[in-house]
């Protein structure tokens, strides 16, 4: 039955399927690909959230770790409770010594928290009486806009679910993020050269430098135009679209055919998207064309009863001693690519630090795993740190108050180009929603850097 | 001579590089192990759950991460995932040897969705059950190779965990794949076969 696919080909195909990447070479055996899809996509039992949180605590990691996606509402029994009532789906210590160890860990955590609070106060260049809202109040006013930095490039759009006929958001489970440099003339068939229709999803691509050309088989939403102006273009089938610095494209993956660098110079891009499986937005071959990618699965309920999804892409530079503030809502996914060391992540609640600060390395992170709330990234190093962010926010209904609130929260992190006292009403996303219909795409590319 | 480094290789290198960075951080500060924990608690649990009942899978997952955390210094593998799943494989095998599993894969694959029609859910449930049965019916070594694959390991990592050569592991998974394909040929007539 597998005569057309030998053991080595199967091995390579399986590697590619696991990581949602194009197959190493053309595979004509579609049945094999389909079976791999079934295997990798269907059989994935997930651990109970309560168990994940409980084991995390049992390992002594809870105070420093990103909590599970379910957020802070997860029950976290005390060590004593775990021993007395080892409920199913909660971690059970294999040895009773963990009871006493738990108290020791708790004591250490308290000391660490006190130390962390001291550290963050020392690092904080702002007034002690600053008002950073409670984590549970993430829809309220954000941190003072003076905390925030001007993104060098910024893009946001909203994608109504009706633009994706035939796709159920309940099937989606993967957020991907990709940042790289594309060699001159490089070409890619993207997510899957065999059949992109197998990977329903939405991709958002922002070109920072150079040019990228796309060919799409169906209508897509495309933004082109000079900085400071916004145009919404519908691309006709099989049309080539070339976008340059500061320009973006949003498309349904099912319509995607190919992407290439049409010039003799390198092109830099940032891309993100939501998918039904583990894929990355663009798949340029070659070691020099792909500098960072990350992806993480999210819960089946993230997009349940969703009417639209907002996407934000930002790149910015955090100078030494500066802080960047952002918020995470209950239906926010946020991936970050950090280029440089020295960033310290701190969660805030009621104006005080929540949990111990966490050092972030030059790497990729799923920042939404820290749960809903307000956060700051402080550059404690001596060198500027560049960070790229891709955020997806699901909305329950068109233009609800919560969407605007979400934008306000986010724009608190990205709207420093507005006057501080007017950061909410003049935030880019709010302006978009006020002046454009749902689904309209806009882009803001301030001239200044950080 | 340049080696062939396609996107698969690059992605795997990204994963290994990130894991190595996180491991280094965890060695410096045990609390930083939380990042690795969150990256792999799902795959590790899923791997355990495919062989054990829900209760045992949780216990096994707990033991695996306890062992990993206590032995971080011994991780010499270029792939943290392979090292972690070697522990996982050994823990699961020990548990299976200790006693017959009371329940395997009864409901582990069922993730009902309210967004789907009853017909779709029934079809999905049937497909999951068929897959589970077919995987259970594989010879032990083939089944282990498939389940490690389903946990997200590459062929080379599977070989490392199973203590076999990459070629031998490829043959195992190739044989398993052929068996599964035959067993599941009627799931999508005309396509799988």
């Amino acid at each position: 039955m597998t005569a057309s696919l030998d053991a080595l080909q199967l091995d390579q195909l399986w590697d590619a399927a696991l990581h949602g990447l194009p197959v190493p070479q053309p595979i004509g055996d579609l049945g094999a690909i389909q079976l791999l899809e079934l295997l990798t996509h269907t059989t994935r039992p997930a651990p109970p959230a309560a168990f994940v949180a409980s084991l995390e605590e049992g390992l002594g990691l809870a105070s420093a770790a990103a909590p599970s996606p379910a957020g802070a509402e997860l029950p976290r029994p005390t060590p004593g409770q775990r021993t007395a009532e080892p409920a199913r789906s909660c971690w059970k210590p294999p040895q009773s010594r963990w009871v006493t160890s738990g108290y020791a860990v708790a004591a250490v955590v308290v000391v660490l928290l006190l130390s962390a609070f001291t550290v963050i106060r020392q690092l904080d260049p702002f007034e002690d009486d600053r008002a950073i809202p409670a984590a549970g109040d993430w829809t309220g006013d954000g941190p003072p806009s003076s905390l925030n930095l001007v993104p060098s490039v910024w893009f946001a759009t909203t994608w109504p679910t009706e633009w994706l006929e035939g796709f159920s958001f309940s099937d989606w489970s993967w957020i991907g993020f990709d940042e790289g440099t594309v060699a001159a003339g490089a070409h890619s068939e993207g997510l899957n050269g065999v059949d992109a229709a197998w990977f329903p999803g939405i991709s958002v691509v922002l070109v920072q430098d150079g040019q990228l050309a796309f060919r799409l088989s169906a209508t897509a939403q495309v933004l082109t135009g000079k900085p400071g102006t916004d145009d919404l273009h519908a691309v006709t089938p099989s049309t080539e679209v070339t976008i340059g610095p500061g320009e973006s494209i949003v498309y349904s993956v099912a319509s995607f055919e190919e992407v290439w660098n049409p010039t003799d110079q390198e092109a830099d891009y940032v891309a993100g998207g939501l998918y039904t499986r583990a894929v990355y937005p663009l798949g340029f071959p070659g070691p020099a064309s792909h500098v960072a990618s990350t992806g993480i699965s999210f819960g089946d309920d993230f997009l349940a009863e969703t009417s639209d999804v907002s996407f934000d892409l930002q790149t910015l530079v955090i100078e030494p001693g500066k802080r960047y503030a952002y918020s995470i809502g209950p239906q926010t996914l946020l991936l970050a690519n950090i280029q440089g060391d020295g960033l310290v992540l701190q969660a805030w609640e009621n104006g005080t630090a929540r949990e111990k600060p966490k050092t972030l390395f030059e790497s990729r992170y799923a920042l939404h795993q820290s749960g809903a709330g307000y956060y700051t990234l402080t550059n404690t190093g001596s060198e500027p740190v560049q960070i790229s962010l891709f955020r997806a926010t699901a909305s329950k209904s068109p233009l609800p108050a919560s969407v605007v609130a979400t934008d306000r929260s986010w724009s608190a992190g990205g709207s420093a180009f507005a006057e501080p006292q007017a950061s909410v009403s003049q935030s880019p996303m709010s302006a978009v929603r006020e002046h454009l219909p749902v689904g309209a795409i806009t882009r803001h590319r301030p001239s200044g850097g950080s | 001579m340049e080696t062939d480094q396609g996107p698969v290789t690059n992605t795997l290198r990204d994963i290994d590089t990130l894991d190595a960075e996180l491991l280094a951080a965890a060695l410096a500060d045990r609390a930083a192990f939380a990042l690795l924990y969150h990256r792999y608690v799902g795959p590790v649990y899923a791997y355990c759950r495919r062989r054990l009942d829900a209760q045992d899978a949780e216990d096994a997952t707990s033991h695996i991460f306890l062992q990993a955390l206590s032995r971080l210094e011994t991780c010499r593998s270029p792939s943290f995932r392979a090292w972690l799943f070697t522990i996982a494989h050994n823990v699961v095998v020990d548990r299976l040897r200790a006693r017959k599993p009371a329940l395997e894969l009864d409901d582990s694959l069922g993730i009902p969705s309210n967004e789907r029609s009853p017909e779709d859910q029934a079809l999905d449930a049937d497909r999951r059950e068929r897959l589970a049965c077919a995987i259970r019916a594989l010879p032990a070594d083939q089944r282990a190779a498939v389940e490690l694959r389903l946990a997200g390991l590459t062929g080379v990592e599977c070989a490392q965990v199973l203590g076999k050569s990459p070629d031998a592991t490829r043959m195992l998974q190739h044989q398993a794949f052929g068996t599964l394909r035959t067993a599941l040929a009627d799931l999508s007539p005309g396509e799988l076969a």
Side-chain angles (χ1 to χ4, degrees):
Chain A
M1 302 292 283
T2 58
S4 61
L5 200 64
D6 63 28
L8 182 58
Q9 284 178 316
L10 174 64
D11 197 51
Q12 294 173 335
L13 185 61
W14 212 328
D15 280 350
L18 282 171
H19 299 286
L21 294 167
V23 296
Q25 66 264 349
I27 300 293
D29 190 351
L30 293 181
I33 297 173
Q34 189 183 32
L35 177 55
L36 279 177
E37 176 72 8
L38 281 175
L39 285 167
T40 56
H41 198 205
T42 307
T43 55
R44 192 177 299 163
F51 165 74
V52 173
S54 185
L55 175 57
E56 180 188 5
E57 185 181 52
L59 293 170
L61 308 173
S63 62
S68 66
E73 293 75 23
L74 288 175
R76 298 197 176 205
T78 64
Q81 286 173 319
R82 283 204 309 268
T83 306
E85 189 178 32
R88 182 163 161 4
S89 293
C90 285
W91 176 77
K92 298 167 294 303
Q95 303 290 339
S96 59
R97 61 186 169 82
W98 275 93
V99 176
T100 51
S101 299
Y103 289 117
V105 169
V108 171
V109 167
V110 169
V111 172
L112 289 175
L113 283 173
L114 289 174
S115 303
F117 183 72
T118 303
V119 168
I120 202 67
R121 285 173 65 89
Q122 291 172 344
L123 294 173
D124 183 8
F126 302 97
E127 296 297 326
D128 286 340
D129 60 353
R130 66 194 177 282
I132 296 181
D137 188 28
W138 63 274
T139 58
D141 291 336
S145 58
S146 59
L147 294 181
N148 300 310
L149 307 164
V150 179
S152 55
V153 286
W154 187 90
F155 170 78
T157 187
T158 299
W159 191 288
T161 55
E162 58 264 30
W163 289 6
L164 286 170
E165 292 182 6
F167 300 142
S168 169
F169 275 177
S170 64
D171 292 338
W172 295 20
S173 60
W174 182 265
I175 180 171
F177 183 43
D178 201 2
E179 184 169 12
T181 299
V182 183
H187 174 272
S188 170
E189 293 182 337
L191 299 173
N192 185 293
V194 176
D195 187 353
W198 287 2
F199 307 106
I202 302 170
S203 277
V204 184
V205 183
L206 169 67
V207 171
Q208 297 173 289
D209 289 304
Q211 292 186 339
L212 287 180
F214 293 78
R215 189 193 309 280
L216 299 146
S217 63
T219 299
Q221 304 301 320
V222 183
L223 174 71
T224 60
K226 296 178 180 178
T229 64
D230 295 316
D231 278 320
L232 181 64
H233 294 270
V235 178
T236 54
S238 297
T239 298
E240 291 181 12
V241 180
T242 301
I243 57 175
E247 296 180 334
S248 305
I249 184 171
V250 185
Y251 55 87
S252 166
V253 173
S255 71
F256 182 84
E257 289 188 342
E258 54 186 330
V259 58
W260 66 97
N261 181 348
T263 71
D264 57 1
Q265 296 180 336
E266 291 183 337
D268 295 327
Y269 71 92
V270 183
L274 299 181
Y275 311 99
T276 56
R277 51 165 295 169
V279 296
Y280 296 108
L282 299 179
F284 283 101
S289 63
H290 189 75
V291 297
S293 64
T294 190
I296 190 167
S297 61
F298 54 85
D300 292 346
D301 58 345
F302 174 75
L303 290 167
E305 301 177 2
T306 293
S307 62
D308 59 51
V309 185
S310 297
F311 300 107
D312 305 273
L313 276 169
Q314 289 192 61
T315 60
L316 51 88
V317 175
I318 305 178
E319 298 289 340
K322 298 294 185 182
R323 291 199 308 176
Y324 174 74
Y326 64 94
S327 64
I328 298 291
Q331 287 193 287
T332 301
L333 304 173
L334 179 61
L335 299 181
N337 180 42
I338 297 173
Q339 298 178 53
D341 293 324
L343 286 188
V344 172
L345 172 66
Q346 178 64 61
W348 297 90
E349 186 171 6
N350 293 325
T352 59
R354 174 167 63 93
E355 300 180 344
K356 65 177 290 190
K358 183 166 63 178
T359 299
L360 303 184
F361 302 92
E362 180 168 309
S363 187
R364 283 80 67 192
Y365 292 91
L367 293 178
H368 59 268
Q369 286 195 315
S370 295
Y374 279 105
Y375 298 89
T376 54
L377 291 173
T378 304
N379 185 351
T380 63
S382 57
E383 299 293 331
V385 176
Q386 179 171 315
I387 179 169
S388 299
L389 299 162
F390 172 61
R391 189 182 76 148
T393 302
S395 301
K396 292 292 184 185
S397 60
L399 293 176
S402 61
V403 173
V404 176
T406 301
D407 297 342
R408 286 168 54 185
S409 302
W410 174 257
S411 64
S415 65
F417 30 80
E419 290 299 318
Q421 64 271 25
S423 61
V424 171
S425 62
Q426 294 185 10
S427 70
M429 284 293 284
S430 298
V432 169
R433 296 239 160 68
E434 287 173 9
H435 301 299
L436 295 174
V438 173
I441 301 174
T442 189
R443 166 180 48 81
H444 186 99
R445 190 163 192 258
S447 57
S450 61
Chain B
M1 179 70 72
E2 284 190 10
T3 57
D4 179 24
Q5 291 186 315
V8 173
T9 305
N10 290 336
T11 298
L12 297 178
R13 191 175 54 198
D14 280 349
I15 292 171
D16 288 342
T17 300
L18 177 56
D19 283 350
E21 292 169 357
L22 296 178
L23 177 62
L27 287 171
D29 175 6
R30 290 302 171 101
F33 184 72
L35 297 171
L36 284 167
Y37 169 76
H38 277 280
R39 268 170 82 80
Y40 289 109
V41 65
V44 166
Y45 173 86
Y47 175 71
C48 296
R49 185 66 184 91
R50 291 189 181 97
R51 304 297 299 269
L52 306 167
D53 65 42
Q55 189 71 65
D56 254 3
E58 290 185 6
D59 287 345
T61 304
S62 300
H63 278 283
I64 290 161
F65 279 98
L66 277 171
Q67 286 193 29
L69 188 57
S70 64
R71 300 180 187 174
L72 276 184
E73 296 82 358
T74 68
C75 179
R76 298 285 184 267
S77 168
S79 166
F80 173 81
R81 293 193 310 164
W83 178 78
L84 181 64
F85 275 90
T86 301
I87 296 174
H89 181 68
N90 292 335
V91 167
V92 169
V93 168
D94 286 348
R95 283 178 173 259
L96 290 173
R97 282 176 182 156
R99 62 180 176 84
K100 290 288 184 184
L103 190 64
E104 282 193 357
L105 293 167
D106 55 336
D107 60 351
S108 65
L109 306 178
I111 307 173
S113 167
N114 294 330
E115 298 294 313
R116 291 180 163 275
S117 69
E119 290 82 4
D120 286 344
Q121 291 188 36
L123 285 173
D124 279 355
D126 177 64
R127 190 169 62 178
R128 284 195 296 267
E129 181 57 28
R130 292 283 307 281
L131 273 172
C133 288
I135 293 171
R136 277 203 300 269
L138 291 171
D141 50 357
Q142 293 180 26
R143 179 180 175 180
V146 169
E147 286 169 340
L148 287 169
R149 274 299 204 172
L150 296 183
L153 270 65
T154 65
V156 172
E157 290 170 336
C158 288
Q160 185 177 337
V161 172
L162 296 174
K164 298 179 183 296
S165 71
D167 284 342
T169 306
R170 285 191 195 107
M171 289 309 299
L172 276 180
Q173 68 186 20
H174 190 248
Q175 292 162 357
F177 196 78
T179 304
L180 290 176
R181 199 168 178 180
T182 301
L184 303 172
D186 61 328
L187 281 182
S188 295
E191 294 186 0
L192 278 180

